[in-house]
Amino acid sequence: MKVGGRHFRTIWLKPGDECVIQLINQRFLPHQFVIEEIRTVEQMATAIREMHVRGAGLIGASAGYGMYLAAKEAAPSGSFDEHLVHAAGQLRATRPTAVNLSWAIDRQLKNIAGAKTADEKIAFALRTARLIAEEDAEQCRMIGQHGLKLIKQIAQKKPGKPVNVLTHCNAGWLAFVDYGSATSPIYAAHDRELPVHVWVAETRPRNQGSKLTAWELSEHGVRHTVIADSAAGHLMQRGEVDLVIVGTDRTTYTGDVANKIGTYLKALAARDNNVPFYVALPSSSLDWSMRDGLKEIPIEEGSAAANYGFDVTPARLVTGLITERGVCEASDKSIRALFPERAP
Ligand code: MRU
């Protein structure tokens, strides 16, 4: 997506130097646009843990590149596999909730194991890291196409008036490699000149909504209004929200959705006011090992002030999941039908 009129992704290999990964350090946004250079797996682990990069898809892409750096570091060490397993553990320990992290690490480990020499392993790791990033961008683009149909249906019912979409936290392009999940249908609508307005919940305690979502929507020229988290229900009661679209850090194969703390309350308010509540996700955010999101999904916590980082919205409150393959119900049967080859 665009920053100051120029196209950027959130993470990329430095042109002309395959030893360096460049990424947007989001801790400085919205005040400064800082590009950070990452050379070691240690630096990548810090970038994920300290939230220079954040958001499920981007955490996965960063871990993919982190494993590539680990392979480069492992080559001269004499104990390639040991080094790689250690690096995988280091990256895995950075954050608990987004399943894209372990998904990307496991994908790298599996692919690298198929190579014989150290050089081959590095080449496989680079190819896989690039593929993870490319797929993330393409899947988010597709989510935009499927979600656009939902926005169009609403637009047809209120000609000349903007479709009001409410979102929480940042499931925008900053949380992925490009486009975003929850924002992708919004950008697709905006780019086709469908009038769309976004209610951006500020998202306490770290304010990803007011700091990141508001910034990226501004950069793309999308009309939006920042609201206090607690104002969402009030707006829905007044009929000022047509549709809620949020992202997810991990969704069980039964459709329970872990997302930034405060999402569950928005789902409750949406249900009470008959507002459709959609969750947009690439399939890398599906956890095929977990049935009960409330019992099984690990929830990140901050310190001292009981800063729960995420909550779980039960499948029964979710109108549908918008994925790269289309929209489905938040149910075991419907998710399996869409991803038959992934289901265990
Ligand atoms: O703690 P963060 O910023 O990494 O949280 C992730 C999020 O921004 C949200 O929970 C988001 O809606 C899902 S990630 C695509």
Side-chain angles (χ1 to χ4, degrees):
M1 302 301 291
K2 287 193 174 128
V3 181
R6 251 184 81 194
H7 179 259
F8 274 91
R9 284 188 164 183
T10 49
I11 190 165
W12 60 93
L13 196 66
K14 185 173 183 176
D17 187 352
E18 292 198 340
C19 296
V20 181
I21 310 303
Q22 294 184 307
L23 48 85
I24 299 171
N25 184 331
Q26 301 186 20
R27 291 196 67 133
F28 295 95
L29 289 173
H31 307 294
Q32 272 177 278
F33 185 72
V34 174
I35 293 174
E36 182 177 358
E37 300 206 329
I38 302 283
R39 291 181 163 76
T40 65
V41 66
E42 176 81 43
Q43 288 173 348
M44 189 61 94
T46 303
I48 300 173
R49 192 182 329 101
E50 306 293 328
M51 295 173 73
H52 307 188
V53 284
R54 28 68 51 206
L58 180 54
I59 290 173
S62 304
Y65 279 117
M67 289 300 288
Y68 158 62
L69 293 175
K72 280 183 85 69
E73 286 167 25
S77 74
S79 50
F80 196 101
D81 291 346
E82 232 171 82
H83 187 93
L84 212 62
V85 167
H86 175 77
Q90 203 179 352
L91 288 167
R92 221 184 280 277
T94 52
R95 295 196 65 190
T97 304
V99 73
N100 304 60
L101 177 68
S102 51
W103 169 83
I105 294 168
D106 291 339
R107 184 168 167 180
Q108 278 285 27
L109 287 173
K110 195 171 158 211
N111 282 343
I112 296 169
K116 290 192 185 71
T117 65
D119 281 351
E120 225 176 61
K121 284 175 196 278
I122 295 170
F124 273 39
L126 176 57
R127 201 177 62 203
T128 306
R130 279 186 159 139
L131 210 59
I132 289 171
E134 284 306 322
E135 283 177 10
D136 182 89
E138 175 56 16
Q139 291 180 355
C140 283
R141 195 187 67 75
M142 287 307 298
I143 287 169
Q145 298 308 304
H146 295 299
L148 174 63
K149 293 176 207 150
L150 301 171
I151 295 181
K152 272 188 181 159
Q153 282 164 13
I154 296 170
Q156 276 161 9
K157 290 187 197 143
K158 45 185 311 200
K161 294 202 181 128
V163 175
N164 289 302
V165 183
L166 186 141
T167 191
H168 187 59
C169 198
N170 175 262
W173 73 270
L174 289 170
F176 290 86
V177 174
D178 213 344
Y179 302 100
S181 58
T183 54
S184 190
I186 295 168
Y187 289 131
H190 175 84
D191 292 349
R192 279 162 191 74
E193 295 180 6
L194 271 181
V196 61
H197 164 262
V198 185
W199 295 110
V200 178
E202 60 177 347
T203 318
R204 295 296 180 106
R206 294 187 79 115
N207 294 314
Q208 287 96 328
S210 56
K211 284 186 178 166
L212 302 178
T213 305
W215 179 79
E216 60 162 89
L217 291 174
S218 300
E219 288 293 321
H220 203 78
V222 179
R223 270 190 60 217
H224 63 280
T225 309
V226 177
I227 55 165
D229 287 335
S230 46
H234 171 71
L235 286 170
M236 291 187 208
Q237 284 174 324
R238 292 165 52 123
E240 294 189 41
V241 179
D242 296 306
L243 169 71
V244 179
I245 312 181
V246 297
T248 175
D249 300 86
R250 183 187 303 239
T251 289
T252 63
Y253 67 87
T254 56
D256 290 340
V257 172
N259 193 48
K260 187 55 62 192
I261 191 82
T263 305
Y264 171 52
L265 289 181
K266 288 180 176 64
L268 281 178
R271 177 58 59 96
D272 194 43
N273 291 285
N274 281 324
V275 173
F277 178 91
Y278 280 94
V279 179
L281 69 156
S283 50
S284 51
S285 297
L286 283 169
D287 189 330
W288 294 97
S289 72
M290 287 188 183
R291 159 168 284 281
D292 186 332
L294 286 166
K295 290 198 183 124
E296 295 173 79
I297 296 178
I299 299 296
E300 181 172 322
E301 289 183 43
S303 57
N307 281 329
Y308 291 97
F310 298 88
D311 61 24
V312 178
T313 301
R316 67 192 149 78
L317 295 178
V318 178
T319 309
L321 304 176
I322 311 170
T323 76
E324 73 269 20
R325 293 196 187 165
V327 181
C328 70
E329 282 172 18
S331 71
D332 187 356
K333 197 171 150 213
S334 186
I335 295 172
R336 274 176 200 276
L338 211 53
F339 296 97
E341 78 290 2
R342 293 266 323 267

